[in-house]
Amino acid sequence: MRRLTYENARGERIVFYLSPILIESLTGIGEVDADLQGQKSPYQDGETHLDVILQPRFIDLEGSILKTDLKEMKAYRKYILRVCNPKLGLGKITLELDGDIKEIFGVLDGTPAFPERGRDVWQKFLITWKCPSPYWRDPNQTSESLQSYVGNFTLPFTLPFELGVSGSHTTLFNNGDIPASVRIDIQGPVTNPQILNKTNGQWLKVNRSIARNEILHIDTTEGRKRVEIYRNGRVYDVFGYLDYDSEWIKLDTGANEIEHIADAGDSNSLVAITWNSMYVGI
């Protein structure tokens, strides 16, 4: 099975599958261009390899509107143009392929094209998305709790994890092909909380006291980095309290030993870490 769903920034969705909007060709879902980084010394044969940088991913979809009635055909053309509007910015592409489901964010590289029908019974179309990040993401996020306390506090937000009981350290496993950014939620009371990834040496610390009725939220995702406090249903920006030497920690591929420490309150606070595994292709 090959089914692609596109959801734009307004929450409007369109499904490309069989009838009435058929996928005829889909390219760019696996292959992506790479820029090989190297350096060359005087009189050196060849060069020294430094790194590989993946370029943005381009996904091309060719399909047909399986309607012969002119009125219905025009309605589906307008529907495709409305949902696949490049002025709306990034949207979410979800691909179901042979039982596997992955998602990626992309923007339309121009409006959808509708070639002249000529003698064709059906209306063909061509859509191209540019995905700034080339990596496919597992839509099912993984959450692990490090620590909790007993109390009657009611969360002001519906958080993407279950509050469980664990120790002050744990091992998290990233199934993806590349290091994964994380979302960290710490519920007070705690003073100057710090999260360490002992596997890769990265650490992150916030120099602030978190009250019992507060939740500290940290997102290390590129383009969405944030440090916030949730309190009484409101969100407060506390980015300035991030320790100067902190790193935007990630989970390496495979096992990661994670530890939570603090100047005070680490035995009473709750810590949860959430991530989505990332893949180079599907």
Side-chain angles (χ1 to χ4, degrees):
M1 184 186 76
R2 181 177 59 176
R3 176 164 53 194
L4 186 147
T5 303
Y6 177 68
E7 180 178 344
N8 65 24
R10 290 193 296 229
E12 299 168 322
R13 300 169 71 247
I14 186 169
V15 178
F16 303 93
Y17 181 35
L18 296 175
S19 179
I21 307 178
L22 171 70
I23 296 178
E24 293 188 341
S25 173
L26 186 62
T27 60
I29 60 176
E31 66 278 8
V32 64
D33 290 336
D35 186 6
L36 305 182
Q37 304 290 310
Q39 67 179 13
K40 185 178 180 67
S41 302
Y43 309 110
Q44 178 183 353
D45 292 326
E47 66 177 16
T48 301
H49 173 72
L50 297 178
D51 203 351
V52 177
I53 307 298
L54 295 187
Q55 299 301 307
R57 181 183 298 276
F58 285 87
I59 298 176
D60 296 314
L61 186 154
E62 296 182 33
S64 294
I65 299 173
L66 304 186
K67 294 292 181 181
T68 56
D69 180 80
L70 184 59
K71 186 176 180 180
E72 288 185 300
M73 186 184 298
K74 289 174 65 177
Y76 274 101
R77 283 181 57 167
K78 290 182 178 180
Y79 176 52
I80 292 174
L81 286 167
R82 174 180 173 83
V83 177
C84 299
N85 181 355
K87 294 293 289 183
L88 297 178
L90 284 175
K92 184 171 69 174
I93 302 165
T94 302
L95 179 62
E96 302 172 60
L97 183 65
D98 299 331
D100 196 9
I101 302 177
K102 295 291 184 293
E103 61 186 25
I104 195 170
F105 293 91
V107 62
L108 275 298
D109 187 25
T111 57
F114 297 92
E116 289 290 337
R117 289 172 54 205
R119 295 184 178 181
D120 290 335
V121 176
W122 298 327
Q123 173 67 70
K124 294 185 178 296
F125 61 86
L126 173 63
I127 300 174
T128 299
W129 288 276
K130 178 181 180 181
C131 305
S133 172
Y135 302 111
W136 291 93
R137 186 176 81 165
D138 190 336
N140 299 314
Q141 61 188 12
T142 305
S143 298
E144 294 286 348
S145 301
L146 272 70
Q147 202 166 20
S148 69
Y149 74 99
V150 178
N152 296 319
F153 177 66
T154 301
L155 298 181
F157 291 84
T158 301
L159 299 177
F161 58 84
E162 294 183 359
L163 304 183
V165 178
S166 184
S168 60
H169 66 276
T170 190
T171 299
L172 306 181
F173 196 87
N174 173 18
N175 289 305
D177 299 331
I178 65 167
S181 301
V182 296
R183 282 88 69 196
I184 304 168
D185 292 276
I186 303 176
Q187 182 174 319
V190 64
T191 301
N192 302 339
Q194 182 176 351
I195 301 295
L196 302 89
N197 186 336
K198 302 178 74 173
T199 298
N200 60 22
Q202 297 176 342
W203 61 272
L204 184 150
K205 181 179 181 182
V206 175
N207 296 312
R208 189 188 189 279
S209 294
I210 312 302
R212 184 179 298 274
N213 66 334
E214 294 180 331
I215 293 178
L216 173 67
H217 176 73
I218 303 166
D219 191 340
T220 71
T221 306
E222 290 291 339
R224 299 207 307 266
K225 293 176 179 177
R226 64 189 65 188
V227 184
E228 299 171 334
I229 288 286
Y230 297 165
R231 182 174 67 243
N232 299 328
R234 301 186 65 179
V235 180
Y236 301 88
D237 184 4
V238 292
F239 198 99
Y241 289 93
L242 185 67
D243 192 275
Y244 180 79
D245 292 323
S246 291
E247 301 172 85
W248 296 103
I249 65 175
K250 294 186 176 184
L251 301 181
D252 284 355
T253 56
N256 293 258
E257 186 180 353
I258 305 297
E259 184 176 6
H260 165 237
I261 60 176
D263 291 350
D266 58 314
S267 61
N268 296 315
S269 62
L270 180 148
V271 180
I273 297 180
T274 306
W275 73 96
N276 295 77
S277 296
M278 309 290 287
Y279 302 86
V280 296
I282 182 173

